[in-house]
């Protein structure tokens, strides 16, 4: 067999399905055309995805009245779609300030009889919360009782309607499960008012039953769209994330992506690292190869490298900064004023040491490493009895396993640059994430039936086609990508005696 060494591309940012970094917009959304064309992160094409969220009360202010095209929703994200971005959607059943601030479950749900819990907004001022809590407001923060039957009924109708509009759209990267807990992160409230919650029926059994119902509602509404769930303890002081373990395992078993909303600071004394609590860390190790891991929060580089080592498929900044918070990255202002760095108040000196270029390099580093990064390091070829045998030597140079299903494509081009033959087939080794794991090196042999071709020299091209997403071609960590998503491997010679018929 003859060995060919395709050229590699180690620094190029690969924008692929099912992985990578994404921008994030919250409140007062900014359409794509309003972002300056010379913005550094757009010029560098760090990603092709953006997360957009909205409160349920904004999207459906009255029962059955959906404001799809408003500027906080499609009025913003359609402009990003038109620019080629895929969208991560999230409709929050409970946001930061709740119903009275148009940031949560709409009041008509409670008017229909759904139960709620009101907490004094004064309890949230000067708390651990990093969000802006208004100083002069006196209206309480209203939470839904998540296991209430009327609440669940109204959630189900919302999701069915959303599914009819968005399920299976190739421009929707994923949909967040966001009707259990504040910000959709599973923690029912901020838990200053435990007795009230218990009187309203809080128990681990009720929590898990309602959460499982909500998961199933999303699965039914979006059978052809990837789903994600931000995870957290049901109730910080009286229930830990371990109490929700059955549903976390259920998410993983059903391929629903699991998202860390608290990356960057460990809260419990038994933490296995400064950046994440032990229970979450152990969970991620257990579910690896079952489903993808996502992380939210722009934090210290050491914490982000820790997350990459866990096998990170997606990453985005956290925080509730208005609009496109990424526009604050290269502002020459103190880092604490940028409102996009999570847990700044806990590590101010370490954050303040980051220069503007250091801060940009965080994004570049995450864009280059988050997710899978497949490369063909070598290809052995042999032509015999009108068959082309290829042995690809693959390497995943990214942080995460590749969880996608795909086919290997090959093609031959003549000296005139015209394609004379092409074919595709599944890799003989399969598409298991255990095989296509991060930092893995392995070979895959395939045999291809050739037509009768004139004797001579041909250029071999290869590529990887996704089984979903209208057969999009995967970007590889190889050089020379063509307009149709193929990569040059090198030259092979075909002789007449190698094509004898049977």
């Amino acid at each position: 067999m003859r060995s060919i060494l395709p050229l590699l591309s180690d620094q190029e940012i690969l924008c692929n399905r099912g992985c990578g970094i994404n921008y994030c917009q919250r409140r007062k959304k900014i359409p794509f055309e309003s972002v300056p064309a010379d913005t550094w992160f757009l010029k560098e094409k760090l990603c092709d995805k953006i997360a957009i969220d909205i409160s349920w009360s904004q999207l459906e202010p009255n029962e059955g009245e959906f404001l799809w095209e408003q500027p906080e929703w499609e009025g913003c994200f359609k402009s990003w779609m038109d620019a080629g971005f895929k969208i991560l959607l999230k409709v929050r059943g409970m946001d930061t300030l709740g119903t009275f601030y148009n940031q949560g479950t709409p009041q008509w749900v409670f008017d229909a009889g759904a139960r709620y819990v009101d907490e004094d907004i004064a309890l949230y001022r000067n708390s651990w919360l990093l969000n802006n809590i208004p100083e002069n407001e006196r209206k309480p923060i209203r939470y839904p009782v998540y296991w209430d039957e009327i609440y669940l009924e109204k959630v189900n109708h919302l999701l069915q309607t959303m599914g009819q509009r968005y399920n299976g759209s190739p421009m929707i990267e994923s949909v967040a499960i966001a009707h259990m807990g504040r910000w959709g992160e599973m923690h029912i409230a901020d838990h200053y008012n435990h007795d009230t919650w218990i009187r309203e029926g809080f128990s681990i059994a009720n929590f898990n039953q309602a959460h499982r119902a909500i998961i199933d509602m999303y699965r039914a509404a979006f059978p052809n769209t990837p789903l994600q769930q931000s995870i957290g303890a049901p109730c910080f002081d009286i229930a830990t994330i371990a109490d929700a373990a059955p549903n976390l395992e259920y998410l993983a078993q059903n391929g629903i992506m699991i998202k860390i909303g608290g990356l960057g600071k460990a809260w419990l004394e038994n933490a296995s690292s400064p950046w994440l609590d032990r229970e979450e860390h152990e969970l991620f190790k257990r579910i690896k190869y079952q489903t993808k891991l996502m992380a939210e929060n722009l934090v210290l580089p050491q914490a982000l490298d820790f997350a990459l080592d866990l096998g990170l498929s997606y990453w985005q900044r956290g925080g509730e900064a208005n609009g496109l918070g990424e526009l604050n990255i290269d502002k020459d202002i103190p880092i604490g004023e940028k409102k996009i760095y999570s847990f700044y108040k806990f590590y101010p000196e370490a954050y303040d040491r980051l220069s503007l270029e250091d801060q940009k390099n965080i994004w570049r580093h995450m864009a280059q490493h988050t997710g899978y990064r497949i490369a063909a390091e070598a290809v052995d070829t042999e032509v015999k009895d009108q068959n082309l045998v290829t042995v690809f030597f693959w390497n995943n140079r990214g942080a995460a396993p590749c969880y996608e299903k795909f086919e290997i494509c090959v093609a031959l081009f003549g000296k005139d640059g015209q394609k004379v033959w092409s074919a595709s087939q599944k890799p003989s080794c399969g598409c298991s994430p255990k095989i296509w794991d991060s930092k893995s090196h392995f070979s895959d042999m395939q045999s291809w039936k050739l037509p009768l071709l004139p004797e001579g020299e041909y250029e071999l091209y290869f590529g990887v086609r996704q089984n979903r997403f209208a057969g999009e071609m995967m970007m590889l960590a190889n050089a020379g990508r063509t307009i149709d998503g193929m990569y040059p491997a090198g030259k092979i010679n075909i002789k007449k005696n190698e094509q004898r018929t049977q």
Side-chain angles (χ1 to χ4, degrees), residues 21 153 228 361:
I21 75 168
E153 173 193 329
Q228 52 163 290
N361 284 337

Side-chain angles (χ1 to χ4, degrees), residues 386 420 449-455 458 494 496 498-501:
Q386 214 172 323
V420 298
K449 189 69 174 179
L450 293 173
L452 285 171
L453 296 171
E455 186 175 53
Y458 294 85
I494 294 180
K496 287 183 179 178
E498 292 174 334
Q499 299 189 79
R500 62 182 184 273
T501 58

Side-chain angles (χ1 to χ4, degrees), residues 423-490:
S424 64
Q425 59 179 286
K426 296 177 182 178
S428 61
C429 63
C431 297
S432 165
K434 288 186 178 181
I435 295 173
W436 297 79
D437 198 359
S438 172
K439 310 302 185 292
S440 61
H441 294 261
F442 59 95
S443 61
D444 183 59
M445 178 182 287
Q446 293 170 303
S447 180
W448 312 84
K449 189 69 174 179
L450 293 173
L452 285 171
L453 296 171
E455 186 175 53
E457 188 176 71
Y458 294 85
E459 190 80 28
L460 175 66
Y461 279 73
F462 66 96
V464 176
R465 177 181 291 119
Q466 304 273 17
N467 284 0
R468 297 189 296 165
F469 318 119
E472 291 177 11
M473 296 297 289
M474 185 185 294
M475 294 185 71
L476 304 177
N478 289 96
R481 181 179 171 92
T482 66
I483 193 170
D484 59 355
M486 300 287 280
Y487 293 82

Side-chain angles (χ1 to χ4, degrees), residues 6-10 14 372-379 392-398 436 440-442 462 464 474-479 487:
L7 294 176
L8 300 175
S9 178
D10 283 332
L14 309 181
Y372 59 85
R373 190 177 177 89
I374 305 299
E377 297 182 312
V379 189
F392 280 90
F393 294 85
W394 296 105
N395 171 219
N396 181 354
R397 306 159 93 84
W436 297 79
S440 61
H441 294 261
F442 59 95
F462 66 96
V464 176
M474 185 185 294
M475 294 185 71
L476 304 177
N478 289 96
Y487 293 82

Side-chain angles (χ1 to χ4, degrees), residues 73-85:
W73 195 238
E74 291 181 9
C76 173
F77 73 68
K78 278 189 174 179
S79 68
W80 288 83
M81 283 182 173
D82 291 343
F85 280 74

Side-chain angles (χ1 to χ4, degrees), residues 173-427:
E173 182 79 7
S174 68
V175 172
I177 298 173
H179 281 82
M180 173 53 78
R182 197 176 204 189
W183 306 306
E185 294 180 358
M186 292 176 55
H187 42 85
I188 58 172
D190 285 315
H191 320 307
Y192 297 100
N193 210 346
H194 300 143
D195 291 343
T196 300
W197 279 99
I198 291 172
R199 284 197 300 271
E200 291 295 340
F202 173 76
S203 68
I204 297 304
N206 284 344
F207 175 95
N208 282 338
Q209 182 178 2
H211 188 206
R212 179 72 65 92
I214 290 169
I215 293 169
D216 288 342
M217 290 175 195
Y218 273 88
R219 292 177 63 214
F222 296 97
N224 308 115
T225 301
L227 297 172
Q228 52 163 290
Q229 169 72 71
S230 295
I231 65 169
C235 185
F236 294 133
D237 294 341
I238 57 176
T240 71
I241 199 167
D243 293 305
N247 284 354
L248 301 180
E249 301 290 349
Y250 184 71
L251 290 165
Q253 292 163 7
N254 285 280
I256 297 172
M257 297 177 276
I258 288 181
K259 181 178 177 182
I260 319 169
L263 174 68
K265 178 173 172 32
W267 299 93
L268 303 178
E269 293 182 359
N270 69 341
S272 53
S273 85
W275 320 117
L276 191 67
D277 287 321
R278 182 179 298 277
E279 289 175 341
E280 286 94 329
H281 195 178
E282 294 299 321
L283 170 69
F284 300 140
K285 289 192 289 187
R286 287 200 308 275
I287 66 171
K288 187 177 182 180
Y289 308 126
Q290 292 186 67
T291 193
K292 298 172 186 175
L293 173 63
M294 309 178 68
E296 176 181 273
N297 279 351
L298 179 53
V299 291
L300 292 172
Q302 305 94 304
L304 292 172
D305 282 338
F306 170 81
L308 289 172
D309 288 342
L310 289 177
L312 198 61
S313 288
Y314 284 95
W315 173 77
Q316 70 180 43
R317 72 164 179 90
E320 299 297 305
N322 283 336
L324 186 64
E326 286 77 358
L327 289 171
N328 295 339
I329 297 168
D330 63 347
K331 288 182 179 178
D332 192 13
I333 59 176
I335 195 169
E337 296 179 13
K338 296 185 180 182
K339 304 297 184 184
I340 55 175
Y341 288 87
S342 302
F343 307 121
Y344 173 80
K345 66 186 292 184
F346 298 99
Y347 310 106
E349 292 181 359
Y351 280 100
D352 288 342
R353 284 195 293 268
L354 297 172
S355 68
L356 283 178
E357 197 64 18
D358 290 336
Q359 295 171 53
K360 290 182 180 181
N361 284 337
I362 288 175
W363 291 79
R364 294 169 179 139
H365 181 69
M366 297 303 288
Q368 288 171 348
H369 297 283
T370 304
Y372 59 85
R373 190 177 177 89
I374 305 299
E377 297 182 312
V379 189
D380 287 354
T381 64
E382 182 180 33
V383 179
K384 186 176 181 181
D385 295 338
Q386 214 172 323
N387 287 306
L388 169 64
V389 177
T390 60
V391 181
F392 280 90
F393 294 85
W394 296 105
N395 171 219
N396 181 354
R397 306 159 93 84
C402 181
Y403 294 88
E404 310 306 316
K405 305 300 181 186
F406 50 83
E407 293 185 344
I408 309 300
C409 306
V410 294
L412 293 178
F413 287 75
K415 290 183 177 180
D416 58 0
Q418 297 298 308
K419 184 192 299 183
V420 298
W421 168 82
S422 64
S424 64
Q425 59 179 286
K426 296 177 182 178

Side-chain angles (χ1 to χ4, degrees), residues 14-207:
L14 309 181
C15 294
N16 277 317
R17 290 287 191 165
C19 71
I21 75 168
N22 48 267
Y23 307 132
C24 178
Q25 290 219 54
R26 289 177 174 148
R27 301 191 189 90
K28 297 182 181 177
K29 311 295 195 308
I30 300 175
F32 180 82
E33 59 270 16
S34 296
V35 181
D38 62 350
T39 301
W40 73 275
F41 54 82
L42 290 184
K43 287 172 61 178
E44 295 186 21
K45 298 181 179 179
L46 294 185
C47 76
D48 67 342
K49 304 173 182 72
I50 185 166
I52 302 283
D53 61 52
I54 193 171
S55 297
W56 182 7
S57 56
Q58 293 174 286
L59 185 62
E60 191 184 7
N62 299 296
E63 187 165 15
E65 177 192 353
F66 293 93
L67 304 183
W68 302 114
E69 298 180 0
Q70 65 164 291
E72 293 296 296
W73 195 238
E74 291 181 9
C76 173
F77 73 68
K78 278 189 174 179
S79 68
W80 288 83
M81 283 182 173
D82 291 343
F85 280 74
K86 281 79 173 178
I87 314 299
L88 294 85
L89 297 182
K90 186 174 190 177
V91 177
R92 291 170 161 182
M94 176 61 199
D95 212 318
T96 299
L97 297 176
T99 300
F100 292 124
Y101 301 88
N102 204 20
Q103 292 185 18
T105 298
Q107 180 60 36
W108 60 261
V109 176
F110 304 125
D111 292 341
R115 290 174 293 160
Y116 57 85
V117 170
D118 285 347
E119 292 191 346
D120 188 343
I121 192 171
L123 295 170
Y124 290 81
R125 296 193 182 104
N126 302 314
S127 72
W128 65 270
L129 272 179
L130 306 181
N131 313 110
N132 295 320
I133 306 299
E135 286 295 325
N136 300 319
E137 290 288 351
R138 295 292 179 265
K139 295 187 292 293
I141 294 179
R142 174 160 290 181
Y143 293 89
V145 172
Y146 304 96
W147 42 91
D148 181 87
E149 291 184 1
I150 295 174
Y151 172 78
L152 293 172
E153 173 193 329
K154 304 304 185 184
V155 169
N156 191 36
H157 183 264
L158 166 72
L159 297 179
Q160 289 177 357
T161 307
M162 286 179 59
Q164 291 168 9
R165 192 171 184 88
Y166 301 122
N167 177 53
S169 168
M171 299 306 293
I172 304 300
E173 182 79 7
S174 68
V175 172
I177 298 173
H179 281 82
M180 173 53 78
R182 197 176 204 189
W183 306 306
E185 294 180 358
M186 292 176 55
H187 42 85
I188 58 172
D190 285 315
H191 320 307
Y192 297 100
N193 210 346
H194 300 143
D195 291 343
T196 300
W197 279 99
I198 291 172
R199 284 197 300 271
E200 291 295 340
F202 173 76
S203 68
I204 297 304
N206 284 344
F207 175 95

